[in-house]
Amino acid sequence: MSRLKILALLPLAAALSGCNYIVLAPAGDIAAQQRDLVIISTVLMLLIVVPVMALTVLFAWRYRQSNTSARYEPDWDHSTKLELVIWSAPLLIIVCLGALTWMGTHLLDPYRTLGRIHADRAIDQSKAPLEVDVVALDWKWLFIYPDYGIATVNDLAAPVDRPINFRITASSVMNSFYIPALAGQIYAMPGMETKLHAVVNHAGTYKGFSANYSGAGFSGMHFNFQGLDDKGFDAWVAQAKSAGGSLGRTEYLQLEKPSENEPVRRWGTVDSDLYRLILNMCVETGKMCQSEMMAIDAKGGNGHEGLSNTLPLSYDKYARRGTVLGPEPVFVAGTCTPDAPQGRTTAAIKAPLDTAPLVGAGLKRPTLAPLKSSSFFLGQRPSPIPEVRFLKSDS
């Protein structure tokens, strides 16, 4: 029986067994190619495993103690023919596996744009890829469709045979974005962006989830992915728009708070800059974006003018937007905007040091000089840095 016939029978075997072998019967071309890699690699390895297991049973039976007719050669220690078989067969299989892995690693790179939508179908250049921004939250998935101006929670859809470009990030801890029917998993990490290119070839509803444990609500962090025809997808977009509501910075900061087993939610409009702010970890107004901090560092930093903006950083790790690890949000403030006139105050630092947690054993909270809203002025020297003194505890 040919390999193609075997692959065609896999869905039937899965149905008869009562299990859903979606990895072996996917709905997308990328997942199908990954499935082929798994099967080919398994067959190549079985070329060694099966003969070894069979020969083990054969030798045990043939050379059992009660078989006096078997050849007995206690002084045998070498066979050139046997050595050639033992070493050449595994070597050839390793070469084949290496070549297969090398090609698959490059051709199925998640960052690589698709070269086809199916084995026998090229990409329709008249259709633009579907752009989807993915944010892993605690413990739910946020999907933003920038071309349509909508956003959803735990609900994802795409047209059949249309390439999908995913941009993926996270709000706090690392997760793994995985739709087995569509493509392999790829990690979602805060402050970083990963990409995934995929396509769905068969209409249907498929399961997606996080494949990386991320805390108490991890078991409920799943969603449905719908493969729809063009009319069905247009209807799905219209339904999302009709839901009304707007997802902006304020709404996102509320949505970001940890929650478990979230139902499907939709917003008819979304802040066009929201994903960039999430990626750069600066959704809060006035907080310095990661990209801005990197740009400053690339130019050598702010020198003396930037020293006052480092004090709250030591407390930032204890407060994650005031939701889990601290009572108030603390962060490094933005120092400038592109169109701010020289000498104009552009940002302020707020440091709730009276609520700062203790650091180290036998220490009280730091005694600080009064710290008010320490403003920054472009072209001017900032206020002096507050003096920090640590005192030993009386206890």
Side-chain angles (χ1 to χ4, degrees):
M1 185 179 293
S2 67
R3 185 172 65 86
L4 292 177
K5 290 182 179 180
I6 294 175
L7 295 179
L9 290 175
L10 285 173
L12 176 60
L16 292 176
S17 66
C19 300
N20 183 13
Y21 292 105
I22 190 62
V23 173
L24 298 178
D29 183 61
I30 297 297
Q33 294 182 66
Q34 294 173 337
R35 181 264 325 270
D36 292 346
L37 278 176
V38 172
I39 293 176
I40 296 173
S41 299
T42 303
V43 171
L44 286 173
M45 289 184 287
L46 288 177
L47 292 177
I48 290 295
V49 174
V50 171
V52 168
M53 295 178 67
L55 289 173
T56 300
V57 175
L58 176 63
F59 290 165
W61 172 257
R62 179 170 177 78
Y63 297 103
R64 66 191 186 278
Q65 185 176 5
S66 60
N67 186 11
T68 57
S69 62
R71 293 176 59 186
Y72 180 62
E73 297 179 275
D75 297 326
W76 178 89
D77 60 2
H78 179 73
S79 171
T80 302
K81 294 181 180 179
L82 187 59
E83 291 286 345
L84 288 174
V85 173
I86 290 175
W87 290 105
S88 61
L91 181 60
L92 290 174
I93 290 177
I94 291 173
V95 170
C96 293
L97 284 174
L100 189 68
T101 303
W102 175 267
M103 292 187 295
T105 300
H106 290 82
L107 294 176
L108 299 178
D109 184 354
Y111 284 72
R112 180 188 177 100
T113 57
L114 299 184
R116 69 184 196 189
I117 58 176
H118 196 266
D120 56 356
R121 278 175 283 171
I123 292 179
D124 186 356
Q125 299 298 335
S126 64
K127 291 185 179 180
L130 177 66
E131 302 289 340
V132 182
D133 298 332
V134 181
V135 183
L137 304 174
D138 295 333
W139 287 273
K140 48 196 170 283
W141 291 95
L142 171 65
F143 302 105
I144 301 174
Y145 289 75
D147 295 337
Y148 297 90
I150 60 174
T152 65
V153 164
N154 291 339
D155 189 23
L156 178 64
V160 172
D161 292 340
R162 181 176 174 184
I164 312 169
N165 297 345
F166 292 105
R167 298 190 301 172
I168 307 168
T169 190
S171 64
S172 56
V173 299
M174 182 169 66
N175 280 276
S176 180
F177 179 69
Y178 188 29
I179 307 175
L182 190 67
Q185 62 174 312
I186 188 163
Y187 286 106
M189 296 167 283
M192 301 177 67
E193 179 182 273
T194 52
K195 296 182 179 180
L196 178 65
H197 294 84
V199 63
V200 59
N201 301 124
H202 305 289
T205 301
Y206 309 97
K207 180 166 290 188
F209 53 90
S210 173
N212 189 80
Y213 181 73
S214 58
F218 165 77
S219 59
M221 195 173 175
H222 49 75
F223 59 92
N224 285 332
F225 169 67
Q226 302 179 60
L228 306 170
D229 57 22
D230 290 339
K231 290 183 179 180
F233 180 73
D234 291 340
W236 183 86
V237 172
Q239 183 183 15
K241 286 184 175 293
S242 64
S246 177
L247 182 62
R249 289 187 173 193
T250 303
E251 293 78 12
Y252 171 79
L253 291 176
Q254 292 299 315
L255 176 67
E256 187 193 48
K257 294 180 179 180
S259 60
E260 299 181 24
N261 301 312
E262 277 285 328
V264 172
R265 298 170 62 181
R266 300 181 179 92
W267 290 268
T269 58
V270 62
D271 186 343
S272 60
D273 204 32
L274 182 60
Y275 176 77
R276 184 190 68 84
L277 298 174
I278 297 171
L279 175 62
N280 284 280
M281 307 176 72
C282 57
V283 179
E284 299 90 343
T285 303
K287 182 176 181 180
M288 179 182 290
C289 289
Q290 183 175 254
S291 59
E292 297 169 352
M293 186 178 295
M294 293 173 65
I296 292 173
D297 292 342
K299 294 183 179 180
N302 280 340
H304 290 294
E305 288 75 10
L307 292 178
S308 294
N309 205 24
T310 62
L311 178 63
L313 185 60
S314 62
Y315 299 94
D316 193 35
K317 60 184 177 181
Y318 298 108
R320 189 183 65 187
R321 299 192 175 103
T323 59
V324 175
L325 303 177
E328 293 188 52
V330 185
F331 48 75
V332 179
T335 58
C336 63
T337 54
D339 55 352
Q342 189 171 8
R344 180 75 58 85
T345 301
T346 60
I349 294 179
K350 180 183 179 183
L353 298 177
D354 55 329
T355 61
L358 295 176
V359 181
L363 297 179
K364 288 185 176 180
R365 288 189 172 85
T367 302
L368 303 177
L371 178 62
K372 300 180 180 179
S373 296
S374 179
S375 303
F376 288 90
F377 297 85
L378 298 180
Q380 300 181 12
R381 295 183 64 84
S383 304
I385 304 173
E387 180 183 1
V388 180
R389 298 192 303 273
F390 288 97
L391 303 178
K392 292 185 177 180
S393 174
D394 297 331
S395 57

